Structures are given as C-alpha cells and as structure tokens.
Amino acid sequence: MAKGGNSETFLSQKKMSDELKLEIDKEPGKFTMLTGDRPTGRLHLGHYFGTIIERVAIQNKGVNTNIVIADYQVITDRDTTEHISDNAKNMVIDYLACGIDPEKTMIFTHSSVPALNQLMLPFLSLVSQSELLRNPTVKSEQEASGHALTGLLLTYPVHQACDILFCKGNIVPVGKDQLPHIEQTRQIARRFNERYAPVFPEPVGLLTESVEIPGLDGRKMSKSYGNAISLSATEEETAKLIKKSKTDSERNITFDPDNRPGVSALLTTAALTSGRSEVDIAAEIGEAGSGALKAFVTESVNGYLAPIRERRHELERDLSYIEDVLHEGNKLANDVAQTTLNEVREAMGMIY
Ligand code: TRP
C-alpha cells in the first residue's frame, strides 16, 4: 500500500490525526466529515471493519457527517457503468443496515450535484501536471488497472478535493493509501484561499483506528480477488466461501500470518466477529484442524452479521424509501454545493 508521500509527511499527518481525535470528542459540532465509496459492488467485511464502524461512531458523536457515493469515480479505471444505479441503491441499503442514519448523515451521488463538479475547473488551475503525476496512489491504481492513464484517473484526486471542500469538510476518515489525496486537497484549499479569498478549510485525514481484516486468502479483502465476505451474502453463500478458502496441510491450528496466511486470515475473521483473540481461538481448535476452524468462522461471521442482514432485508423490501433517502440527500447536497459555488464565484469576482 502506498504511504502518504514521504514518511515525514506521513508522521505529521499521523500527529494531526491523533490531535484531532481528542478535539472531536470535545467539540464534535465544529467538525464536518466527508468520506465515500465507489459504487462498484456490495460492501464487505473489509469496508465494515475498515471504515463503516468508524463512520457510524463519528455520526453518533454529533459531527456533521456526509457520505458521497462516488459514481463518477467508477469510470476512473473502468469502461462501463453497468449496474451503477443498482450498486448505488444497494450501497445506501448497506449503509443504513450498518447504522448510518439518513437523518444525521447526508448521503448523495456525485453525478447529481452539478455545482460540486463545477469546482473542478478552478481547482484544476491550482495544481501542476507534475504534482498530479507524482501521486503514488494514482500511479499504483493505473498499474493495477492495466489501462493507459486517463485524464480522469490522473485528476480524480482533484475531484475528490471537490467532494471534500464543497461541504467544507474538515475531517476525512481514510486509510493510509488515501493520504496523498488529502495532502493535495489541503494544497488546493490553501492555494485558493491565498489567491482569492479564504473560503475553504484545510481538511485533515483521520487515520482509521480499525484493524485491517484480511481477505480469506490473507491478501487484502477485495471483491475482485474472490476473498471477500459481503454483508449482503446469504448464510449459505458465506459458508460456501469460507469452506473453499485455502488453508494448508498442517493439522494443528496456530496464528502465524507470515507463514500461514490462509489459516491466520480465518482466525482474524473469527476474532473480529467473536470479540476473542486469534491465539485464544487457535488454542481452542488446535488439533481439530481447518475443518473445525472453518465451521467456527462460519458460525461466528453469520452470527455477527445476522442483525445487519435482517435490517438489510427489511430495507430491500422498501426500495421507494431508499430512493427517497438518495433524493433527499441529493437535494441537500445541491443546496450546499450551490452556496459554496456562489462563494467561490464571488471570491473570484465572477458575479454577473
Ligand atoms: N476514493 C475513495 C475510495 O475509493 C472514495 C471517495 C470518493 C472518497 N471521494 C472521496 C473518500 C472523498 C474520501 C473523500 O474508497
């Protein structure tokens, strides 16, 4: 995973992030969170433990919270928008099932908020080509995509700055790989404020506390690796996926992520969903082997997800409610974006 630029930048961002956590607890109302996801599929346990839990906690502290379903970001590295509407609606269902409350959190889609997207024009004038090309996350994403570098992939961190700044977001919960984008956002805000008028805050990345849950094969959990447990999967699908995950030939179960990635990933999954430690679970299973471990994991995951899945089913039965949530979020986001765009125009003297 790419680090946030050089390690000095990483350390200073880590320090800002730590200080921020204390301040949020003291005065949550001073903060506006913006974060989001690309609607490329269903949310899985990696999203859940990696960020969703934390978003819900921040929401419930009383921070002003906003989530973008980043539909324009889907086409940074793929050629199709097939299933995008279905994915976006299911993303809303996943959020609500996990405890995001649409009364507290504004949920919206990029493409429905023209004034947000218009910020891209002034913002692009504030970054140089070499700054764009230097972004380590963009580089690794381009390599992974196997495509030529498109203009949108190159500039999507600027678009992400539009997401964050249109609502004057000052905190962005992110994984380490997103830190270069936050740095670019801070630079854009600073340069705009210096060149025209102080309109934008300089947001800080809130490094997530959460553990990274590995995929069932020990690699990063990702739908494209086939190693991800979706929140929306049935109990049977979950059991099947766990059953066919690769372990090794050693019978005795031990926690050893470097040498036994498969077994250890299963143990971490069991630990996170049962509230016990990996070592403790490994000791309990011991010589009973990987079959017993898989049965344990299946029960633990399905038990943990049961209430979320139940809420999911209820929400699925009321799609018009889900559409209302998105319409309301989009309406609100348009108001917010229009207000900010007016300030931007005024700062730039473009009032006619
Ligand atoms: N790039 C993020 C992801 O792939 C999604 C995202 C879009 C985002 N806009 C954002 C995250 C703004 C934080 C802030 O997960």
Side-chain angles (χ1 to χ4, degrees):
M1 195 190 290
K3 260 209 190 154
N6 57 41
S7 59
E8 203 176 294
T9 329
F10 174 71
L11 283 177
S12 78
Q13 298 210 32
K14 172 90 177 79
K15 188 160 163 274
M16 277 193 279
S17 167
D18 289 344
E19 288 168 0
L20 199 62
K21 281 175 189 156
L22 298 174
E23 274 190 60
I24 292 173
D25 286 333
K26 263 193 275 168
E27 274 189 274
K30 263 180 36 186
F31 294 94
T32 297
M33 176 202 92
L34 179 290
T35 185
D37 302 284
R38 304 200 305 159
T40 52
R42 304 293 171 267
L43 294 184
H44 53 60
L45 281 183
H47 299 115
Y48 182 79
F49 287 109
T51 137
I52 304 292
I53 288 187
E54 188 162 42
R55 291 181 196 176
V56 173
I58 294 174
Q59 164 194 275
N60 294 341
K61 276 180 188 167
V63 170
N64 168 20
T65 40
N66 305 280
I67 300 181
V68 57
I69 298 179
D71 54 358
Y72 272 139
Q73 224 180 75
V74 170
I75 48 169
T76 50
D77 63 356
R78 40 188 99 192
D79 303 334
T80 171
T81 53
E82 211 186 346
H83 307 307
I84 199 151
S85 161
D86 189 44
N87 287 345
K89 285 174 200 162
N90 270 285
M91 197 149 258
V92 176
I93 296 177
D94 277 333
Y95 291 151
L96 301 197
C98 293
I100 296 290
D101 176 356
E103 297 289 323
K104 295 183 181 146
T105 296
M106 178 171 90
I107 305 171
F108 65 98
T109 39
H110 261 157
S111 60
S112 312
V113 191
L116 178 160
N117 295 302
Q118 194 174 327
L119 292 175
M120 190 75 173
L121 285 166
F123 285 3
L124 277 174
S125 75
L126 299 168
V127 289
S128 71
Q129 182 195 21
S130 60
E131 282 165 349
L132 291 170
L133 285 165
R134 247 196 327 260
N135 186 310
T137 306
V138 168
K139 264 193 220 159
S140 58
E141 282 169 344
Q142 190 255 319
E143 279 158 20
S145 80
H147 285 51
L149 181 61
T150 65
L152 186 62
L153 182 54
L154 180 64
T155 55
Y156 95 85
V158 181
H159 195 223
Q160 213 161 284
C162 302
D163 297 341
I164 298 167
L165 295 177
F166 95 100
C167 62
K168 312 251 174 112
N170 53 8
I171 52 175
V172 188
V174 284
K176 269 191 291 197
D177 63 325
Q178 297 281 309
L179 281 180
H181 302 350
I182 305 295
E183 198 46 46
Q184 214 152 36
T185 302
R186 293 169 57 80
Q187 216 166 47
I188 288 169
R190 200 178 313 131
R191 286 176 186 167
F192 186 95
N193 294 345
E194 278 167 8
R195 199 174 287 188
Y196 302 107
V199 172
F200 296 111
E202 281 182 42
V204 179
L206 199 61
L207 285 161
T208 41
E209 292 285 315
S210 40
V211 246
E212 200 174 298
I213 186 171
L216 288 170
D217 53 3
R219 291 189 290 173
K220 186 181 157 98
M221 188 177 275
S222 162
K223 192 178 145 219
S224 53
Y225 292 158
N227 64 4
I229 301 172
S230 301
L231 305 181
S232 56
T234 63
E235 295 200 343
E236 294 71 35
E237 286 163 349
T238 305
K240 223 187 215 167
L241 198 66
I242 292 170
K243 195 160 185 188
K244 74 170 211 273
S245 71
K246 236 177 102 206
T247 48
D248 52 47
S249 54
E250 200 182 314
R251 184 151 188 94
N252 190 31
I253 297 302
T254 52
F255 184 57
D256 180 358
D258 288 338
N259 299 310
R260 306 187 70 186
V263 165
S264 301
L266 286 171
L267 284 167
T268 299
T269 308
L272 283 169
T273 49
S274 69
R276 293 171 55 186
S277 76
E278 284 99 341
V279 173
D280 189 30
I281 298 167
E284 179 180 312
I285 296 188
E287 292 293 337
S290 61
L293 174 61
K294 286 178 178 182
F296 186 101
V297 176
T298 303
E299 194 173 322
S300 167
V301 168
N302 281 338
Y304 186 87
L305 288 180
I308 293 176
R309 286 171 170 167
E310 204 181 306
R311 280 199 295 277
R312 244 199 145 272
H313 285 135
E314 279 166 29
L315 292 162
E316 261 170 351
R317 273 186 240 118
D318 195 359
L319 272 187
S320 67
Y321 169 66
I322 297 301
E323 283 161 5
D324 283 350
V325 167
L326 257 187
H327 291 158
E328 283 301 310
N330 282 336
K331 206 161 88 194
L332 197 57
N334 271 291
D335 291 346
V336 173
Q338 199 55 57
T339 304
T340 302
L341 185 60
N342 288 344
E343 283 177 60
V344 163
R345 286 208 190 108
E346 198 176 312
M348 298 176 78
M350 294 175 167
I351 301 288
Y352 310 108

